[in-house]
Amino acid sequence: MNDLFNQNNLDIKIEPKIEESWKEVLKDEFSKLYFVELKKFLIEEKKKYRIFPPGNLIFNAYNLTPFYKVKVVILGQDPYHGFGQAHGLCFSVPKGVPKPPSLINIFKELKDDLNIDPPNHGDLTQWALQGVFLINAILTVRENQASSHRNKGWENFTDATIKALSSKRENLVFLLWGKFAQEKKYLIDQHKHLVLEAAHPSPYSAAGFFGCRHFSKTNEYLVSKGISPINWKID
């Protein structure tokens, strides 16, 4: 976990290895007490547990989708906690890892909405590179212990992320799937952005997710604002 941060011996300010535009936008967060405590927590956790995703991928969503290139925000809760699953993008898994049930349902809705066949893998990097910011509210987790890093400080950081996108950008699309994501709606200025809500794509609630047509609605909105749409097809 030490590869996550650079810290001078005499300087309490912590600077994560994060893409430059995000580092500038979120610079005030890195010296706040919660972030200092979060770093200490993560270092201690790594001594006792296996933590996902790997340190170099914790800020993967930020690094793949710079602040000024974000078009769409998909908000997840916390990383997958099985070995090899999490790689810093919500709902996504690396190639070669079986697709989780929620992701299978996302691809089902994509097929029904835009007649796009699902890929043979679950890596959503192609979306991220086009401006789909795939962010979890909590960026790390212990192996096999869901929500184990809840209320340790990540929520402060990702709330600040959402606020920055809402205040400094215009005409973004926020896709809020499930109650947890929808509770973040208050952070978003709906006069400047489009917020689309649906049930979570988990098998437990997917009946309320299917038919939401969020992929086509997102592109319709972007085009209406003179913004190039997302190519949702993944190779």
Side-chain angles (χ1 to χ4, degrees), residues 160-172:
T161 297
I162 297 168
K163 287 179 183 177
L165 286 166
S166 177
S167 64
K168 297 177 186 293
R169 296 290 314 280
E170 293 183 354
N171 302 327
L172 302 180

Side-chain angles (χ1 to χ4, degrees), residues 107 110 116-127 231-235:
F107 287 146
L110 184 59
I116 293 175
D117 291 325
N120 60 9
H121 60 85
D123 187 346
L124 303 181
T125 296
Q126 285 181 246
W127 290 0
N231 177 8
W232 295 106
K233 181 175 173 57
I234 295 174
D235 296 326

Side-chain angles (χ1 to χ4, degrees), residues 178-213:
K179 182 180 178 183
F180 181 88
Q182 290 158 13
E183 288 174 349
K184 303 292 185 179
K185 185 166 63 171
Y186 77 97
L187 300 168
I188 305 163
D189 184 346
Q190 295 183 65
H191 297 290
K192 296 170 60 181
H193 308 285
L194 176 64
V195 175
L196 297 175
E197 299 178 65
H200 195 277
S202 160
Y204 299 106
S205 55
F209 174 75
F210 293 136
C212 68
R213 299 187 63 245

Side-chain angles (χ1 to χ4, degrees), residues 2 4-17 23 30-31 36 39-40 43:
N2 292 316
L4 241 182
F5 301 93
N6 295 320
Q7 184 178 22
N8 296 329
N9 291 334
L10 300 177
D11 186 359
I12 196 170
K13 186 175 181 182
I14 301 166
E15 295 186 355
K17 295 179 181 178
K23 183 180 286 189
F30 305 135
S31 56
V36 175
K39 185 212 173 182
K40 292 177 182 177
I43 290 172

Side-chain angles (χ1 to χ4, degrees), residues 37-119:
E37 293 300 319
L38 173 61
K39 185 212 173 182
K40 292 177 182 177
F41 167 75
L42 291 172
I43 290 172
E44 290 304 309
E45 280 283 283
K46 182 129 190 258
K47 293 177 182 177
K48 297 178 278 188
Y49 306 100
R50 182 178 279 165
I51 305 302
F52 299 139
N56 66 321
L57 293 176
I58 289 174
F59 294 107
N60 197 25
Y62 295 82
N63 293 332
L64 290 176
T65 315
F67 180 78
Y68 293 104
K69 293 188 177 180
V70 174
K71 298 179 181 180
V72 182
V73 180
I74 300 180
L75 180 65
Q77 186 165 350
D78 68 336
Y80 295 123
H81 54 81
F83 180 79
Q85 289 184 302
H87 67 143
L89 304 176
C90 71
F91 295 107
S92 179
V93 291
K95 291 179 180 177
V97 176
K99 288 178 276 190
S102 292
L103 184 55
I104 290 172
N105 286 336
I106 289 170
F107 287 146
K108 284 182 180 177
E109 175 59 23
L110 184 59
K111 172 67 173 176
D112 289 343
D113 186 7
L114 291 172
N115 198 31
I116 293 175
D117 291 325

